[in-house]
């Protein structure tokens, strides 16, 4: 969804790091190419030199975003320089998570297809392989009815965004019932990696359930050993994912 | 299926709006690219200046339609100027829905693959996420046996088309048992959006069923709040979908 | 599998119709592009001017076949002019079906992925939508153990081919347990259409089963009304499928 | 995962056969294109003139590997000439299998998506069609907890690699719980063939299970007849798979 008006114009946090914004554009296109982002969904990064500012595209489908589309926001999700551009209504997802999570510098909101079914059932999404250990053993699920009763399910304001951030807590991923999910990370490669492998995990887990028989998930200790290591190596798939997209 | 003969040549409703017909060509190709339309299936729009005329391609697969293929019909589905072109036998789907639904200006008929299974079982297609709230909670299913007994399942005439329109009623989508579905809208973007997200919803719901456990569907009030809002924003995915197709 | 030697060189049935052989090349590439044929599998046509001869590619993957690869065989599957080319071991599928079925002029043998599971279970493949009415209500399943005990499952000789043709009987499609299927038709477009929609039907039926609830299949009378009509219109999807492939 | 340091520099086994290394590059790209290898995973070949050396890419995603990326290792997985390049941490998979299996000259390690679910359930992967007879009737499953207790699931050292090789035994394929699998062969075409059809078999078996009803798997005697024949014909799909990739 999009938005046109904004009363407040906060000052800029300073010029964007061009490489960081190129990475943000790549992230949008990579996640569209990988089938994680549909025509909706969005990705943001925190301003590298101003912790109270973040960058997010104008209202546009991730697959076709360019560097010119990137806008700067404060953490109340007011644009620094709107220039009449349409804005994502749901940008409060990003602002409120950056407020609540100083460790987070990148946020992906998607309608990742195989993850949505887990948001509407009582079956929990759980880490089934080492690539998705970051899910750990308690992926929270945001039920917007608990936050604001009957709504159109969009994160339309700071109240909704803060409610989602609260449910996310210190996790890496939160589901959103009947809507999608958010994946966060200390940097854009980590958030993108998590968005891709959250979808992969959902597919694998759904297939394991369909096979029948008891399933062995990662033990909490295995999750800790994996997420705690320093050689995360997210740049390896990133280089391959990037080779598949073209940025004009 | 196609048709070659027509006895009646009704007068034209006036020249077509070129932009509208370009949108109709794009809609055909978008829905083929998105996996909603197979080699069969078709999309129409009502004449923007003559409510008793509509535009529909000659008998041809949606993926390869061009502007030259678009023909004009009256609501009894007689061609204004056939020029010897083959016609879709099932064009009565379009004519009869336009007769029954003055609010509808675009109709998609597809064999959308994941939707067909819902047309043959007693399990109801229900809105599982906000993108598909337009399904509301009672998607009707047209059983042609109730309309005309044993047939070849095609909507071959006005009786079949009117029967389908009757079952569609005021809904946005109707299934057709063992055949496919129709999605309608006030404009082409809306009808295309609904065709895409009806397929998406079918996939998500099938996956949720396979996971097991009770599923939470959208509440009727949530559906109303979503379908009632003004910022529908169907142009966002449309721009991305269009960027994926080439029109010669 | 392939074969190199042949003792007998039968006379030719006369020069091939170039258009027919171009259609055979297109059929191979279309079925690979549509996901019906993997690296193995093959397609043949009967000689248009000699009912006791047929055309089939040398041993090569369908996706990369060219007109130069087409070879002529008699119905015992001896090559007219081998020129040292490798041959499909399983060519007896084609020869024996042409012997048994004078009405058949095109044969597709595939490992169509969603059809194989139906060949190993007791659940019958049944027509779920009008596009696949040609399946009728009794798709036979060839169990090679009944024909020749324990084998490597390949149709390695005339005995195996004749056994398969016997099980096929007058049907349009026969499954082959743990192996694949054959689809036949009076012409190449019909056989290709049936190969594509046999795979589609398998997907739809598998999804309907997974949804749960009783399923309504096509009634025998509906199948007869569909398969008996003259306006089959297989050229409509063929034109679209062909537009997706390039033939060098 | 990758690795940067190595204390030992063993002597080279002699210059690589350029054709063999081109085949290794092609194998990487083919398996990525076929959906078997994700951004991680790797493929190796034994040195054709030095049985105690093997070739493996530097740490890089298989889809984008070039001939310049290939490195030579001894069977303790020490690089002959590292040149500062990052190395796969899990290269011990390759070294330890080559030690244990003189008959093996190519190894694929993948996160083949549909195979992972079989590694976490009690449902056994079994050969469902003739193309996957090499699975025979007892695909072993490596549980790293049995080898080294709680770990990050990676094959980080010789102990893990040897444990995996021990579980693999004389089989062609071994699953790795919550991680992936290894496929081996006497040459690169065989190993690639097995990696592709292990994934295919997993899909077919999962679908057969979902259909319900008892399933007929290949009999042990059928597996022996298929794997024992000389006309394996793996070059047929290889040529087609190779035609789909471009190597720069």
């Amino acid at each position: 969804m999009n938005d046109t008006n904004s009363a407040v114009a906060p000052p800029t946090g300073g010029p964007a790091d061009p490489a960081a914004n190129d990475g943000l554009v790549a992230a949008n296109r990579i996640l569209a190419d990988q089938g994680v982002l549909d025509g909706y969904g969005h990705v943001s990064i925190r301003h590298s030199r101003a912790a109270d500012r973040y960058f997010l595209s104008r209202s546009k489908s991730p697959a076709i975003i360019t560097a010119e589309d990137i806008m700067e926001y404060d953490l109340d999700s007011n644009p620094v320089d709107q220039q009449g551009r349409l804005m994502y209504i749901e940008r409060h997802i990003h602002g409120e998570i950056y407020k609540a999570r100083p460790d987070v510098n990148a946020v992906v909101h998607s309608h990742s297809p195989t993850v949505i079914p887990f948001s509407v059932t009582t079956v929990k999404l759980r880490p089934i392989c080492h690539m998705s250990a970051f899910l750990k053993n308690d992926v929270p699920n945001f039920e917007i009815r608990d936050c604001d009763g009957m709504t159109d399910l969009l994160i339309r304001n700071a109240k909704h965004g803060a409610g989602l951030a609260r449910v996310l807590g210190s996790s890496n991923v939160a589901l959103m019932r009947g809507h999608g999910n958010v994946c966060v990370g200390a940097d854009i490669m980590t958030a993108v990696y998590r968005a891709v492998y959250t979808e992969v995990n959902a597919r694998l887990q759904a297939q394991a359930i369909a096979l029948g028989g008891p399933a062995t998930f990662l033990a909490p200790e295995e999750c800790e050993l994996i997420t705690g290591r320093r050689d995360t190596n997210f740049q390896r798939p990133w280089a391959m994912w990037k080779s598949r997209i073209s940025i004009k």
Side-chain angles (χ1 to χ4, degrees), chain A:
Chain A
M1 302 298 115
N2 56 29
D3 196 0
T4 50
N5 293 311
S6 173
V8 185
T12 180
D17 172 2
N21 276 15
D22 286 351
L24 179 56
V25 171
N28 273 277
R29 290 177 173 247
I30 284 170
L31 290 171
D33 181 59
Q34 293 294 313
V36 170
L37 290 175
D38 64 355
Y40 301 101
H42 17 90
V43 188
S44 70
I45 50 171
R46 195 192 290 265
H47 196 307
S48 61
R49 284 171 294 212
D52 57 355
R53 295 289 182 276
Y54 69 91
F55 294 103
L56 179 70
S57 170
R58 73 161 89 194
S59 173
K60 201 168 171 181
S61 280
I64 53 174
I65 280 171
T66 64
E68 290 68 43
D69 295 316
I70 305 299
M71 297 174 63
E72 183 184 354
Y73 290 97
D74 70 8
L75 299 195
D76 290 328
S77 296
N78 297 306
V80 165
D81 183 13
Q82 189 177 346
Q83 300 176 4
R85 291 175 285 188
L86 286 177
M87 301 183 289
Y88 297 128
I89 284 177
E90 295 198 302
R91 62 192 183 275
H92 302 280
I93 292 172
H94 304 269
E96 297 304 319
I97 288 176
Y98 289 125
K99 276 187 201 169
R101 290 282 298 272
D103 61 310
V104 165
N105 294 306
V107 175
V108 175
H109 167 56
S110 81
H111 301 158
S112 196
T114 319
V115 182
I116 292 178
F118 285 91
S119 81
V120 302
T121 69
T122 53
V123 178
K124 300 283 282 181
L125 186 69
R126 295 183 61 192
I128 203 167
C129 64
H130 68 88
M131 292 94 80
S132 42
F134 59 85
L135 293 174
K136 303 197 175 176
N137 277 276
D138 191 22
V139 179
N141 191 1
F142 176 66
E143 169 53 271
I144 197 169
R145 291 177 194 164
D146 297 338
C147 172
D148 201 25
M150 287 293 153
T151 67
D152 70 356
L153 275 83
L154 295 185
I155 305 297
R156 284 194 171 267
N157 52 47
K159 178 185 178 185
H160 298 160
L164 171 60
R166 208 153 37 233
V167 166
L168 174 66
S170 61
S171 297
N172 298 314
V173 179
L175 309 187
M176 301 162 74
R177 192 269 307 163
H179 181 155
N181 70 80
V182 288
C183 294
V184 303
D187 52 54
I188 188 74
M189 277 193 197
T190 304
V192 166
Y193 173 89
R194 287 173 178 166
V196 170
Y197 280 98
T198 297
E199 171 69 16
V200 168
N201 191 90
R203 281 187 223 135
L204 299 183
Q205 187 176 348
Q207 290 167 348
I209 289 170
L211 290 180
T216 301
F217 292 95
L218 292 196
E221 193 177 347
E222 290 171 327
C223 290
E224 290 308 317
L225 286 166
I226 294 167
T227 57
R229 67 192 175 203
R230 281 169 307 163
D231 54 348
T232 53
N233 203 13
F234 298 148
Q235 73 275 18
R236 198 194 303 168
W238 175 276
M240 182 271 284
W241 292 331
K242 198 156 174 225
S243 76
R244 295 174 49 88
I245 59 167
S246 65
I247 300 176
K248 292 131 199 160

